[in-house]
Amino acid sequence: MADPAKDTVCVPAALSGYQILCDPRLNKGTAFSDEERDRFGLHGLLPPNVATMDGQIARRLTALRSFSTDVERYSFLRDLQDTNETLFYGLLSNNVKELLPIVYTPTVGAGCRHFSQLFRRPRGVFLSLPHRAHIRQILANPHFDRTEVIVVTDGERILGLGDQGVGGMGIPIGKLALYTACGGIAPATALPIFLDVGTDNEYILKDPLYVGWRHSRVRGQEYDDFIEDFIAAVHERWPHVMLQWEDFAKSNATRLLERYRDRLCTFNDDIQGTAAVATGTLLSAINVTGVPLTEQRIAVFGAGSAGCGIAALIMAAMIDAGLPAREAARRFYLVDRDGLLLEGMPDIASFQRPFLQPRDAVASWQRSGDRIGLLDVIENAKPTALIGVSAQTNAFNETVVRAMAAHNKHPIIFPLSNPVSCAEADPADVERWSEGRAVIGTGSPFPPLMRGGESFSVDQTNNSYIFPGVGLGAVATQAARITDTMFMAAAKALAELSPAKRNPQANLLPPVTALRDVAISIAVAVGKQAVAEGLTSGVTADTVEAAVHAKMWTARYRPYRRAGAND
Ligand SMILES: NC(=O)C1=CN([C@@H]2O[C@H](COP(=O)(O)OP(=O)(O)OC[C@H]3O[C@@H](n4cnc5c(N)ncnc54)[C@H](OP(=O)(O)O)[C@@H]3O)[C@@H](O)[C@H]2O)C=CC1
Ligand SMILES: CC(=O)C(=O)O
Ligand SMILES: [Mg+2]
């Protein structure tokens, strides 16, 4: 039960009733009580009927459903978020299954593309390179005083849609909406940040409506200096903040993570969050296929940030399970633009290096051309699992899926690229081509499949199963750093929640409606791991769970009183 005194919101004395209605953090719309309307001078500014939050949610849902496109629904929800945050989260939390595909993938991708047309009200921070000298001053704004969680992007690799310039801000906003709805992070403590270093998207640069900095992307030392200034300013302003890097291009994602992971509490969602959801879902899939982890062979299509992050964490899990490190490394077949990653290939990035196959291991392979393509890998290495993070639509075609099904009783096939338009396969096709034997996970939501005459939901294998819990666990325990072993703890905690653990015919993952419970379990596991690694302050393994619950915000209207008033 909430303590009524602590639960009351203290409204600054200087705010007029009209200003309260215009502040999305304070606004309750028609749900202000008569006493509050008396106290804050709201009579006349609102229609007389006092609504309940449930009534408001029902009204907004009716309006939302009357739109004919998802972009209109996205725009409507963004407006609500910027008008009345509590109601936005009440609506989202009560209707996760219906609204997640709007505020998150796939529609958030369209939201990013239409960002300039849809832009109405400020949310978060836009730091553009021409204002580099003013970063500290911008971050000093008292509106951001309570910041505990930051999601930052520079918009260069937005989902599988590439460079979206300032439109990429839609992603930190969407991710933080899930932090609150699923992870219980209070909205006033969540800050989306966009680093505007220009864009190389010609279409955007020519768009007269574009609201970002109309300049080609700044790279090299000037880019690095800007990021350094940004991180230094963030650290100074909020020394305990947790910062999530999101949708940075392959050329920057890993190196920025490596540069900053020992300086503040930070992680890269595309590398580490994706790795944890893929590992957790693969561990769950073992309940269905019966092939132990130490006997898995993994083909990853797209050897970028997500692909190498996934391979690294699954490899660590294999080593944990007893496979010698050298042998574990041989179990991975990473296929990129130039085919299978092989020793001696030019232009190999440092993060790809652990996964190079030795030339002699493939010397006897039958191959269809000069390069070793995905099908060659499947025919020769006979992988047990195929994971797609390439943003290449339909790369898992009929031939590929049938080849996986020919070598495996239950091939694991995860087309994880987002949004739907970039997925490597449609799960309905995978189901058909594998004669219903494939174990499927997708990055974006897809319609249910028919299995044995019954509807079977497709597991949305998305890092949204991980980051809200990791963030919650980190802030609840005030973790100083986020380590790979904390992501391993998250992956294992997710696998423990798998319905397939109890029934191999069931789903690999809990439904998206359970994301809040998933976040709690993951937060506790991550928090305990942080305690074990000596990274926390003020908590012990025994108090982590209570700290996690105490941190969680829920969307409900609290009573308001004026600061200084004693009623
Ligand atoms: N389900 C989930 O939770 C997540 C899904 N993703 C999705 O994964 C995708 C990739 O993300 P990320 O790894 O960060 O992006 P990256 O750009 O870092 O990696 C993509 C890789 O795929 C390669 N690639 C491009 N075309 C081909 C091709 N024809 N054949 C083989 N490889 C190819 C790219 O090469 P090159 O650089 O030369 O183009 C690059 O190395 C995105 O669609 C993203 O939405 C990402 C994170 C989480
Ligand atoms: C889900 C996610 O982080 C991505 O597609 O980039
Ligand atoms: Mg991402």
Side-chain angles (χ1 to χ4, degrees), residues 446-457:
F446 279 88
L449 304 169
M450 286 307 284
R451 274 195 185 162
E454 286 185 21
S455 169
F456 185 85
S457 61

Side-chain angles (χ1 to χ4, degrees), residues 104-105 157-160 171 175 244 246-247 269-270 274 306 416-419 443-444 461-464 467:
Y104 195 57
T105 184
R157 197 288 277 145
I158 292 302
L159 308 175
I171 293 294
K175 292 272 174 185
Q244 169 171 325
E246 191 68 51
D247 287 8
D269 185 40
D270 302 297
T274 315
L416 298 189
S417 289
N418 300 312
S444 289
T461 309
N462 190 290
N463 52 30
S464 52
F467 67 79

Side-chain angles (χ1 to χ4, degrees), residues 104 157-161 175 246-250 269-271 274 277 301-307 335-339 352 371 388-392 416-419 422 424 442-444 461-464:
Y104 195 57
R157 197 288 277 145
I158 292 302
L159 308 175
L161 304 172
K175 292 272 174 185
E246 191 68 51
D247 287 8
F248 281 74
K250 181 168 95 170
D269 185 40
D270 302 297
I271 301 171
T274 315
V277 73
F301 189 67
S305 307
V335 180
D336 210 56
R337 196 180 279 280
D338 296 325
Q352 295 172 327
R371 59 195 270 289
V389 270
S390 63
Q392 300 303 302
L416 298 189
S417 289
N418 300 312
C422 293
E424 286 80 5
T442 58
S444 289
T461 309
N462 190 290
N463 52 30
S464 52

